[in-house]
């Protein structure tokens, strides 16, 4: 089974290696590393991953500068063609700034940077990103962010919920996100943005200090949904 | 030409920074402050005659995130 994933690195990305490691661990195939200044993506990708970090020092707004980088024009164009995209943490912020996902990520309501493992409820298991989870399951995934407070207007929130586009919700108080939303899916179902870091939770659960293994099934879902036979 | 762009969080969007500043003002003993909201002032030096539509496009594409922010443009302001 072939699986070609690209991980984009922006100046200030710091979870790109973890993302590549997680993708490689689950797929057994090397992830292609792509620099923000590249104008083109490699061909035949099964997934584009935007990693966490602090791209461009969070100047202006988290993710705003990265959304204007040359590679993002290629990412937006690929996403419009249906190439699957996963954005984690800063990657989620970049996806909202690039308008590939609705809403925005505001400063945490408690004003503090939040860095701990939190409980999430899996809301939608019909998506290609979450198929390996059980509906309503509670999982534990690390978060590490200052701007993770998901905001969208009421009408947008109703639409996201009505269309089953909320992938994950916080099952505990985390950052003040509207309706506790931790991850959302695009209208075509092929773009997922989430603040928690599944790539930090792929090791066997015995090593709980490393975040557990609840993130692994997200990558397994991706692999089984998007790998080419 | 000097242009000032004032970017503000839309009404109703939570402003934790404003709330912290409000709290700090109260801590300094300033009474009677009902609310504080923190925005951003961006000063541009652009070619003379840059039209309003171009400035608006700059705001919509980058300077403000219109999902959460509104902006106002003050063109020709003294530098």
């Amino acid at each position: 089974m072939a699986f070609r994933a690209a991980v984009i690195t922006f100046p200030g990305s710091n979870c790109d290696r973890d993302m590549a490691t997680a993708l490689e661990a689950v797929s057994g195939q090397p992830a292609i590393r792509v620099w923000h200044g590249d104008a083109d993506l490699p061909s035949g990708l099964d997934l584009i991953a935007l990693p966490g970090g602090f791209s461009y020092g969070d100047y202006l707004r988290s993710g705003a500068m990265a959304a204007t980088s040359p590679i993002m024009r290629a990412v937006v164009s690929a996403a419009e063609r249906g190439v699957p995209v996963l954005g984690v943490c800063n990657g989620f912020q970049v996806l909202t700034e690039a308008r590939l996902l609705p809403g925005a990520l505001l400063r945490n309501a408690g004003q503090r940077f939040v860095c701990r493992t939190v409980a999430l409820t899996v809301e939608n298991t019909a998506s290609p990103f979450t198929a390996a989870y059980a509906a309503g399951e509670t999982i534990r995934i690390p978060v590490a962010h200052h701007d993770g407070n998901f905001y969208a207007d009421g009408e947008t929130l109703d639409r996201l919920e009505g269309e089953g586009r909320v992938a994950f919700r916080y099952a505990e108080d985390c950052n003040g996100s509207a309706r506790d939303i931790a991850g959302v899916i695009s209208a075509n179902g092929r773009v997922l943005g989430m603040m928690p870091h599944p790539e930090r939770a792929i090791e066997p659960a015995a090593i709980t200090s490393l975040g557990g293994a609840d993130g692994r099934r997200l990558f397994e879902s991706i692999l089984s949904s998007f790998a080419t036979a | 030409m000097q242009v000032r762009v004032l970017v503000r969080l839309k009404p109703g969007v939570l402003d934790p920074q404003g709330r912290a500043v409000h709290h700090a003002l109260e801590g300094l003993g300033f009474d009677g402050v009902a609310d504080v909201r923190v925005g951003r002032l961006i000063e541009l030096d652009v070619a003379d005659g840059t039209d309003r539509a171009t400035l608006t496009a700059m705001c919509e594409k980058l300077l403000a995130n219109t999902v959460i922010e509104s902006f106002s443009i003050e063109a020709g302001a003294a530098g």
Side-chain angles (χ1 to χ4, degrees), chain A residues 60-61 97 99 109 111 151, chain B residues 19-20 40 62-63 65 68:
Chain A
L60 196 62
R61 299 175 303 274
E97 282 285 344
R99 306 292 166 90
Q111 300 157 45
Y151 172 87
Chain B
R19 208 166 58 181
R40 177 185 285 120
L62 180 62
L63 302 182
N65 179 343
I68 48 172

Side-chain angles (χ1 to χ4, degrees), chain A residues 126-146:
Chain A
S127 98
F129 296 93
T130 54
Y133 293 105
E137 185 180 353
T138 301
I139 59 174
R140 295 185 62 77
I141 305 276
V143 295
H145 58 248
H146 209 167

Side-chain angles (χ1 to χ4, degrees), chain A residues 118-120 143 145 148 169-172 174-175 177 180-182 195-196:
Chain A
V118 298
L120 302 176
V143 295
H145 58 248
R169 267 187 234 271
Y170 300 105
E172 59 185 81
C174 181
N175 54 26
S177 287
D180 295 319
I181 291 172
M195 289 311 296

Side-chain angles (χ1 to χ4, degrees), chain A residues 60 106-112 146-147 149, chain B residues 7 9 13-25 35-40 69:
Chain A
L60 196 62
L106 298 168
R107 179 57 40 105
N108 294 342
Q111 300 157 45
R112 290 195 170 84
H146 209 167
D147 297 327
N149 179 352
Chain B
V7 180
L9 281 175
V13 176
L14 179 73
D15 179 9
Q17 198 180 179
R19 208 166 58 181
V21 172
H22 187 184
H23 186 69
L25 285 172
D35 194 18
V36 177
R37 302 201 38 102
V38 176
R40 177 185 285 120
E69 295 168 329

